[in-house]
Amino acid sequence: MNWDSLPLLIILALSIIGNNHTVAVAALVLLLIPRLGLENYLPFIDKHGINIGIVILTIAVLSPVAQGHIAMNDMLAIFKSPVGFLAVVIGVFLAWVAGQGVIFMKESPETVSALIIGTVIGVCFFRGLPVGPLIAGGLVALLVNVLGLFKR
């Protein structure tokens, strides 16, 4: 057995137990890539995977606009209510936090597995919902910097 695969196998098992299909598929694909002789693609995935994923996610988020389900008037009306304004402010903050997560995960890639395992445990045992590792990484980066645990 290749012990290098053990972390991905653990993540796969936890994601199956936690019914987290996204993480399960990702772990399974990464386990299969070397076994299919495609390991030359791993550096490309490592370098560009987050950006490709963000593009796909952004396309999904913007698809209601492209379909005409959200008009310009609807977008402008959001600023007229306190809840809408708060949603915009929180959206800006979380986008910034996610950006910090990208930086932190590049500087400390060993934390990615811990973030995913923590997310899967939260889904399995605390009836949580999986939030993106970028936001989780950003929150970890903020706390680590505030507590002075990480030197940049």
Side-chain angles (χ1 to χ4, degrees):
M1 177 180 166
N2 182 354
W3 290 103
D4 293 339
S5 299
L6 188 59
L8 283 174
L9 287 170
I10 291 169
I11 290 169
L12 176 62
L14 285 172
S15 62
I16 290 170
I17 291 167
N19 203 24
N20 189 330
H21 302 293
T22 305
V23 175
V25 168
L28 188 60
V29 166
L30 289 171
L31 285 166
L32 288 175
I33 285 175
R35 282 142 190 87
L36 296 173
L38 302 172
E39 58 274 342
N40 292 339
Y41 290 102
L42 287 173
F44 177 83
I45 293 168
D46 186 37
K47 185 174 181 181
H48 301 290
I50 289 176
N51 289 333
I52 292 168
I54 290 170
V55 167
I56 293 169
L57 180 61
T58 304
I59 289 169
V61 169
L62 292 176
S63 67
V65 176
Q67 296 176 61
H69 297 304
I70 301 174
M72 188 61 155
N73 290 339
D74 297 331
M75 286 188 199
L76 294 174
I78 199 82
F79 293 102
K80 295 180 183 175
S81 76
V83 172
F85 182 76
L86 184 61
V88 170
V89 170
I90 299 262
V92 169
F93 175 71
L94 286 180
W96 177 79
V97 167
Q100 299 305 301
V102 171
I103 294 166
F104 181 72
M105 290 186 335
K106 285 181 181 175
E107 291 176 355
S108 187
E110 69 280 359
T111 60
V112 174
S113 296
L115 291 168
I116 292 172
I117 289 170
T119 299
V120 172
I121 289 171
V123 170
C124 287
F125 302 109
F126 299 102
R127 305 179 106 204
L129 296 173
V131 297
L134 297 177
I135 294 173
L139 290 174
V140 170
L142 287 175
L143 289 173
V144 164
N145 287 329
V146 166
L147 298 174
L149 299 174
F150 188 67
K151 304 283 185 209
R152 285 189 184 204

